[in-house]
Amino acid sequence: MSKLLSYDNGISDTPLLGITIPEQLRRTSQQYPDAEALVVPYQNYRATYKEFWAQIEEVAKGLLAYGVKKGDRVGIWSPNRYEWVLVQFATARVGAILVNVNPAYKAAELKYALRHSEISLLIMSKGFRKTNYVDILGEVRAACIRLKHIVIMEHDWKSLLQAGQKISSEQLAEREQSLQFDDPINIQYTSGTTGFPKGATLSHHNILNNGYFIGERLKYTSSDRVCIPVPLYHCFGMVLANLACITHGSCMILSGEAFVPETVLKTVQDEKCTSLYGVPLMFIAALNDPSFNNYDYSSLRTGIMAGATCPESTMRAVREKMNMKEVGICYGMTETSPVSTQTFVDDNEYRRCATVGKVHPHLEIKIIDPETGCIVPRGQRGEFCTRGYSVMLKYWNNPEATTSVIDEGRWMHTGDLAEMDDDGYVRIVGRIKDLIIRGGENISPFEIEEYLHQHDDIKDVQVIGVPSDRYGEEVMAWIMPQEGANITEEKLVNYCKGQIATFKIPKYWKFVSEFPTTVTGKVRKVEMREIAAKELGLEPRK
């Protein structure tokens, strides 16, 4: 393959892990029995790897006592708690498929997930923030005929463990011996822009190896302590964090049920965390929190920033003010377990801000012309595709959707626009569907965002397309100003004039204190378009 084309593969001397998740965890627990495995300060929970393994066994036996068979779907609906982590590994030990239910789901979404994946056992918390999960489940329970058992953590956890006491270690071992690393082990529902969510179905091999190589690139060891404020229900929490830790003997530390800036900062200090995870908005919120200067960050070394492009000023502050000199950037999607590319701990600031790193070990990536399917020259934009061990098995019960994204060569088509430089570093420049088409001109929101990020009075910015009778679409910018900034539409228009093409200068501006986001902190541009269209009296773009 010519170096002139946008193709690369992750050549590696480190072999893939050809084992199941419980086999790996057993090895780690034997190698580091006295090292801390999981710490959850807000629940007063702390366990070494030896204790963690024993507690997982109790939960696994409970699942067997409740009749969970290999391949059965076990749902978990909860914010971040130590029980979530135990269930993650206990379901893996019994060969059940863990179905991650979004903590933000309401009745219709919960009903869909329960019915679509045919969950037979649901493990859940009482609620999250102001949402009462018990009441919501009551609304849909009658329609979910496959749901046999419900375990509410606050009430039924001990009963689950007690039920498992009648299961012998030999019975559990027999189940474990029947498992293969290519077995499906996890279903994660992706939030599509249209229609119902799709259940990305992932195997032991998919997510265990992805977590392992994420940890390898961050140079994790048994001395690392990882602060996890990102949701466990998402790959960011359960793979980039949990599986990266258990493959290296590192410690998982949950800062709280959900992200709260000061709680995260306090956890980093008190637990002497060496690594911190988050999307850029989380780091921006932490850096701007009034309590920021009250805490000590000297223990931090690395971490992961993912989910969106990181403004250069934020990256600089994270490295200098939070001591995260080796912070990494990751890119991927749920369907690819999730990480396809990642920066290295010694990459310069430009590569951490402007790129999402290089291909992961044992994976292939290419950038193609979406129309022809041909690989484009380096430096040219096209659709990012990846192939290898990380590509999901399928979308659960949705063969049509599966074949729409995985082609005959097993390449996963991401829908993301990207470009690759001569050294193999990849830049994500937008979504194919996020492209703004104004009067026949293709406009990448990323380009405008990148320019506006340089303005000293702008904390963050998101650019979208809104409907226009004359041009088809017009450009709109949502601006999050720095605190105390005197910023106006007129000033920003003047800032853009002569610097970016006139047709790229936003026609509409909206000043906000926050953006609509998913639970994981990803900005929901679909919702932004709907809000903007309604406020402007326009029909939203389909």
Side-chain angles (χ1 to χ4, degrees):
M1 179 64 67
S2 169
K3 284 285 186 183
L4 298 176
L5 293 179
S6 299
Y7 168 87
D8 202 2
N9 62 85
I11 299 171
S12 176
D13 292 330
T14 305
L16 289 166
L17 299 173
I19 55 177
T20 63
I21 290 170
E23 284 180 283
Q24 174 61 53
L25 182 55
R26 185 192 302 274
R27 293 180 184 183
T28 301
S29 300
Q30 291 172 344
Q31 188 173 1
Y32 306 106
D34 299 322
E36 282 194 320
L38 178 62
V39 173
V40 189
Y42 92 93
Q43 290 184 288
N44 296 315
Y45 175 92
R46 206 172 278 271
T48 64
Y49 267 98
K50 182 179 180 180
E51 294 165 339
F52 185 55
W53 178 257
Q55 291 171 23
I56 290 167
E57 181 155 324
E58 287 186 286
V59 180
K61 288 180 176 179
L63 296 176
L64 292 181
Y66 278 34
V68 174
K69 297 179 176 58
K70 179 180 175 180
D72 281 356
R73 272 73 68 202
V74 174
I76 185 158
W77 188 28
S78 165
N80 287 8
R81 300 171 59 106
Y82 80 84
E83 297 96 334
W84 206 111
V85 186
L86 292 177
V87 170
Q88 176 183 349
F89 292 101
T91 49
R93 285 192 71 174
V94 302
I97 300 174
L98 182 69
V99 181
N100 301 6
V101 181
N102 190 324
Y105 272 4
K106 297 298 189 288
E109 298 156 320
L110 175 66
K111 178 181 175 181
Y112 176 78
L114 291 172
R115 288 168 59 90
H116 180 257
S117 57
E118 297 180 310
I119 290 172
S120 60
L121 168 61
L122 178 64
I123 300 174
M124 57 184 279
S125 61
K126 289 193 302 185
F128 177 48
R129 291 177 172 160
K130 296 181 179 180
T131 302
N132 187 313
Y133 287 175
V134 178
D135 287 349
I136 292 174
L137 180 62
E139 292 180 43
V140 305
R141 175 71 193 273
C144 303
I145 59 174
R146 301 280 185 175
L147 183 59
K148 300 174 185 175
H149 299 287
I150 297 167
V151 174
I152 299 173
M153 293 174 182
E154 293 86 346
H155 302 307
D156 308 321
W157 188 254
K158 288 183 179 178
S159 297
L160 173 68
L161 302 184
Q162 288 170 355
Q165 292 176 4
K166 66 183 181 183
I167 301 296
S168 68
S169 296
E170 288 74 23
Q171 287 173 287
L172 178 57
E174 183 180 355
R175 175 66 63 83
E176 287 185 273
Q177 288 165 9
S178 72
L179 308 181
Q180 297 292 309
F181 61 70
D182 282 329
D183 292 338
I185 203 65
N186 185 218
I187 294 175
Q188 297 195 33
Y189 281 97
T190 61
S191 52
T193 57
T194 59
F196 290 108
K198 298 182 288 293
T201 306
L202 303 166
S203 68
H204 294 267
H205 199 62
N206 286 148
I207 58 178
L208 178 64
N209 278 288
N210 207 249
Y212 173 61
F213 283 107
I214 288 164
E216 286 289 284
R217 198 161 282 192
L218 291 173
K219 298 189 179 301
Y220 278 171
T221 70
S222 59
S223 298
D224 279 297
R225 300 173 62 80
V226 183
C227 183
I228 308 167
V230 295
L232 293 175
Y233 92 90
H234 188 270
C235 270
F236 207 163
M238 69 167 289
V239 180
L240 279 77
N242 292 357
L243 292 178
C245 285
I246 68 100
T247 51
H248 292 83
S250 307
C251 181
M252 301 166 278
I253 302 173
L254 306 183
S255 57
E257 281 196 330
F259 173 73
V260 177
E262 185 171 8
T263 305
V264 172
L265 300 176
K266 185 176 188 301
T267 301
V268 166
Q269 172 187 271
D270 293 352
E271 294 297 333
K272 294 181 171 53
C273 297
T274 62
S275 177
L276 173 62
Y277 286 13
V279 297
L281 281 174
M282 289 180 176
F283 283 101
I284 290 170
L287 289 161
N288 286 277
D289 192 84
S291 71
F292 181 83
N293 292 325
N294 298 340
Y295 297 102
D296 177 13
Y297 311 105
S298 60
S299 63
L300 283 174
R301 169 183 71 83
T302 186
I304 293 177
M305 204 181 302
T309 305
C310 176
E312 189 174 338
S313 58
T314 302
M315 176 60 73
R316 189 178 303 112
V318 165
R319 297 185 67 192
E320 295 175 359
K321 296 182 179 181
M322 300 186 76
N323 200 43
M324 295 172 63
K325 307 296 185 187
E326 299 179 1
V327 64
I329 302 294
C330 291
Y331 161 78
M333 60 192 306
T334 303
E335 292 89 337
T336 57
S337 302
V339 172
S340 297
T341 67
Q342 185 177 347
T343 56
F344 296 86
V345 295
D346 56 354
D347 276 335
N348 61 34
E349 202 162 277
Y350 169 79
R351 283 179 167 165
R352 295 175 209 254
C353 292
T355 82
V356 291
K358 297 186 69 170
V359 64
H360 244 226
H362 301 286
L363 297 180
E364 295 176 274
I365 60 174
K366 65 178 180 178
I367 297 171
I368 65 168
D369 183 323
E371 298 297 323
T372 66
C374 295
I375 300 174
V376 300
R378 296 212 174 187
Q380 184 173 315
R381 294 179 178 183
E383 183 183 15
F384 183 96
C385 300
T386 187
R387 178 168 70 177
Y389 77 83
S390 69
V391 175
M392 67 175 181
L393 300 177
K394 61 182 178 180
Y395 285 127
W396 187 261
N397 283 343
N398 199 337
E400 295 82 7
T402 304
T403 55
S404 72
V405 295
I406 301 176
D407 64 25
E408 292 181 353
R410 286 292 295 173
W411 285 98
M412 177 76 202
H413 292 249
T414 67
D416 285 324
L417 287 173
E419 59 186 37
M420 183 185 295
D421 68 17
D422 289 342
D423 296 317
Y425 282 81
V426 174
R427 295 176 72 237
I428 302 298
V429 296
R431 291 283 297 169
I432 291 176
K433 288 186 178 180
D434 281 343
L435 271 182
I436 301 168
I437 304 176
R438 181 188 183 277
E441 293 280 1
N442 287 356
I443 302 172
S444 167
F446 177 83
E447 288 184 15
I448 306 170
E449 291 165 355
E450 196 173 44
Y451 175 70
L452 289 173
H453 269 308
Q454 300 173 39
H455 196 292
D456 291 338
D457 289 337
I458 292 178
K459 183 189 295 185
D460 205 357
V461 56
Q462 297 291 329
V463 172
I464 59 173
V466 295
S468 166
D469 289 336
R470 183 175 182 183
Y471 293 106
E473 285 186 293
E474 286 281 10
V475 179
M476 182 180 193
W478 286 38
I479 303 294
M480 187 188 296
Q482 296 283 6
E483 188 174 350
N486 180 20
I487 192 169
T488 66
E489 178 179 328
E490 183 180 4
K491 288 180 179 179
L492 290 176
V493 169
N494 288 332
Y495 178 73
C496 292
K497 283 181 177 177
Q499 301 298 316
I500 61 176
T502 302
F503 65 84
K504 295 180 182 177
I505 298 175
K507 178 178 180 180
Y508 302 106
W509 302 81
K510 182 177 174 68
F511 298 93
V512 298
S513 59
E514 60 183 7
F515 304 124
T517 61
T518 65
V519 174
T520 59
K522 288 187 178 182
V523 175
R524 295 200 73 244
K525 288 195 172 184
V526 171
E527 186 176 339
M528 289 170 60
R529 283 192 284 266
E530 291 171 352
I531 293 170
K534 184 176 180 180
E535 290 179 351
L536 296 170
L538 305 167
E539 288 295 322
R541 182 179 72 170
K542 303 298 184 184

